[in-house]
Amino acid sequence: MKAATLASSLALSLVTGASYADNPWASERAARNQAIESYIRDNDEAYVWFADFPFSTSDGIPFLILQLLPRLAPALWGSPENFLDVVGLFRDERNPDYPIARGIGWTGLAADATAPVDMSSFTCGACHIGRVRLPDGSHRYLDGGINAEFNIVKYRVRAYQTVQAISGDSDDPAHRLQAATVAITKALDQAHSENPNFFYGNYRLGERRFDAEYEAAQVAAFKADATNLIDGFMQRTTLEYQAFDTLVKKNYTGFEGPMLEGFGGMADATGISTSFGYSVSKAQGHPVDLEKQLPPSAGITDFMAVWEQGKRRASWNADNSRLVGGAGQWNGNIAIPIYRNLAAELTMGLANTDLRIGVFGIELLDGIPAPPYPFPVDTGLAAKGKGLFERNCADCHRAHNGEVYDMGTDIGRALVVSETIADTARRGFTATCGPDTRVTMPSGETIRPCAEFDGVSLEGKSELAMLPPSEHRGYNALPLGGIWAQAPYLHNGSVPTLYHLLVPGERPDAFIKGNLNYDARRVGFDWSGASEMPQTAHSYYFDTRAFSAFSKRGHDTDITHETGSYKLDWSDDPAGAMAIIEYMKTF
């Protein structure tokens, strides 16, 4: 499928706000924005699969049920224009005809879809397309960035609460299913009779049309199997909630309430995936071990930016036995890109993972440019900061640095993958995509995405699908492209701005997180609430003292490493810190 018109309708209309034409940075910024537009134009199909296609070819929640949530439980869901705004998924102004918020896809988007009823689930874009609000009130979209508003826990909790609301108080599962079926089919009939394009909005994707005829066929197919589909929805939604509750009780003792509210822009991804697998096994009557199957520590972290993945690409050592010089995830433990992308997909616990998502992800993310800083830059001050940065920061924050560091930050996220979990993950990854696995791409080409990496066969190298936990007890020093848009900082988002990162004595204990307004002086999203512009509904106070995993400690003490001595605490030279920050705006 060649998404011929998608680049123009989805990805190219970058909302750039004020031009700041009087600033020398303006022409450089314009050139970089043009480079992003050109890149997405050249990779338009990969972009759409990244942004809009669901992780599974057949699993998830029936798309019709998802669209009915605000009718089934209006008190739990958001505005009439976008009921998912309550969980931080936004309507992307660049694609106004898309029938649901960015970050949700349905199986029928694929031309080769065969399931009679469209199933929906999250897409890569849910976590990795973010936005910043500019001074004129418009938004600059961050493709491959961080959706600091998205709260996956809140979504799952509210979906579970919806099931509870429509299924009644009976203890009899059959009675609960009957009540839910009556509620859902009634809402379905009412919505479809009011508008024959209620669910799909007459959306078009290339040559595929999701018009009234398509919608009528979906409604009929759903009603023909409504009991089974609704039962599956109820069971999955309940199991997702119970699984996360199990994780919280194990690793977040004393902090259960806030964790079940969730935090925008953050997730315990390893915990979500392993707890769901544990709960499924338990529900099916298989032997389970809570301590071995779930992470040994709390691992909640900020979402990562995923642009410029080529700068993190590992390479083979001399005898092709190990991968060096780069990796993925916060602690660098997944070095092969297809498995890195597959890990993100498998986090959702969906059956029939669509490997094409991972393949297109490699194509798109390897070279997609980081977005340029959208505000003015003092280029003279930046020139002064360049030398300070190169002396104190560049050695670690270079491309293809696979080294793992312990910089005094909370170490929990680096410990979440135990040997048992790593072994389970390797077996899961390679079972889903092994050297002999064949995938037919939309073009009709059949490929083997896990047969080799950089020309070296992966046959007999299953141990490289996830690297040993013992070698990754720390965090990578990442390349800093688009660092301005990756606030708040450290792996747990405990430091609001670059200024506070370099001047640790002034780090606040608590600050606003999830705001779209920007602090251009300190470089980070508005953390103090001082902005005159309205805060997003998803901003919240983040208290670094509330739980150990949120500690603001780390990257706060000058160090001597084998490569040299480096100044990390600029409290005695705030002018130097500001010069470095000005330079980093240009990354």
Side-chain angles (χ1 to χ4, degrees), residues 457-489:
S457 172
L458 294 177
E459 189 71 45
K461 292 183 168 67
S462 61
E463 74 279 1
L464 298 181
M466 180 174 282
L467 302 177
S470 60
E471 298 177 6
H472 292 269
R473 296 181 179 274
Y475 302 102
N476 280 152
L478 304 176
L480 299 180
I483 190 62
W484 70 270
Q486 298 183 51
Y489 299 100

Side-chain angles (χ1 to χ4, degrees), residues 313-317 322-326 453-454:
R313 193 175 181 87
S315 57
W316 292 101
N317 65 352
R322 289 175 58 85
L323 289 163
V324 297
F453 175 64
D454 277 359

Side-chain angles (χ1 to χ4, degrees), residues 243-244 247 268-276 294-295:
F244 190 70
L247 171 74
D268 186 334
T270 304
I272 286 174
S273 59
T274 55
S275 64
F276 187 74
L294 266 63

Side-chain angles (χ1 to χ4, degrees), residues 295-308:
S297 62
I300 186 169
T301 60
D302 274 7
F303 302 150
M304 297 186 76
V306 294
W307 47 58
E308 298 184 346

Side-chain angles (χ1 to χ4, degrees), residues 59-348:
D59 200 5
I61 293 175
F63 185 66
L64 302 186
I65 293 181
L66 180 67
Q67 290 280 50
L68 289 171
L69 291 180
R71 287 181 175 243
L72 297 171
L76 294 174
W77 301 97
S79 67
E81 297 78 18
N82 175 22
F83 69 93
L84 290 170
D85 58 9
V86 75
V87 299
L89 293 179
F90 52 82
R91 292 275 193 172
D92 193 323
E93 299 151 300
R94 301 170 297 176
N95 189 21
D97 296 329
Y98 198 69
I100 199 165
R102 175 67 87 202
I104 295 288
W106 65 93
T107 52
L109 286 169
D112 59 353
T114 57
V117 174
D118 284 341
M119 304 298 284
S120 64
S121 60
F122 296 120
T123 75
C124 300
C127 295
H128 298 299
I129 297 179
R131 55 185 184 165
V132 58
R133 187 182 288 120
L134 301 178
D136 65 358
S138 64
H139 294 114
R140 170 67 163 93
Y141 289 93
L142 309 172
D143 292 313
I146 302 159
N147 182 0
E149 302 170 88
F150 180 38
N151 187 332
I152 186 174
V153 171
K154 184 176 286 188
Y155 167 79
R156 288 188 166 181
V157 169
R158 295 202 176 204
Y160 172 73
Q161 291 172 335
T162 301
V163 168
Q164 298 300 100
I166 64 176
S167 57
D169 299 327
S170 175
D171 294 329
D172 184 344
H175 288 166
R176 292 173 61 81
L177 175 58
Q178 182 181 22
T181 301
V182 169
I184 290 172
T185 53
K186 179 181 178 181
L188 174 70
D189 287 339
Q190 183 179 24
H192 189 59
S193 65
E194 291 173 2
N195 180 0
N197 289 301
F198 174 84
F199 295 99
Y200 294 90
N202 200 23
Y203 182 64
R204 295 189 63 168
L205 178 65
E207 298 302 315
R208 299 206 30 91
R209 297 189 61 180
F210 300 91
D211 54 14
E213 181 180 359
Y214 182 95
E215 184 161 313
Q218 281 291 306
V219 169
F222 178 90
K223 293 175 75 172
D225 195 26
T227 300
N228 288 329
L229 291 166
I230 293 170
D231 187 33
F233 159 67
M234 294 174 65
Q235 289 191 38
R236 180 176 187 88
T237 300
T238 300
L239 198 58
E240 287 178 340
Y241 175 84
Q242 291 175 342
F244 190 70
D245 185 56
T246 298
L247 171 74
V248 168
K249 288 176 179 175
K250 177 183 180 296
N251 285 343
Y252 295 88
T253 303
F255 199 59
E256 294 91 342
M259 284 300 295
L260 287 172
E261 285 290 322
F263 296 89
M266 304 187 77
D268 186 334
T270 304
I272 286 174
S273 59
T274 55
S275 64
F276 187 74
Y278 167 87
S279 296
V280 169
S281 295
K282 184 177 180 181
Q284 293 175 344
H286 300 307
V288 293
D289 187 323
L290 185 71
E291 294 302 320
K292 289 185 176 181
Q293 289 178 249
L294 266 63
S297 62
I300 186 169
T301 60
D302 274 7
F303 302 150
M304 297 186 76
V306 294
W307 47 58
E308 298 184 346
Q309 288 291 297
K311 293 182 178 180
R312 302 190 65 187
R313 193 175 181 87
S315 57
W316 292 101
N317 65 352
D319 64 0
N320 295 334
S321 62
R322 289 175 58 85
L323 289 163
V324 297
Q329 316 300 66
W330 284 107
N331 60 334
N333 66 333
I334 306 182
I336 299 174
I338 188 63
Y339 289 127
R340 184 155 68 242
N341 294 346
L342 186 58
E345 293 186 65
L346 293 177
T347 294
M348 297 295 107

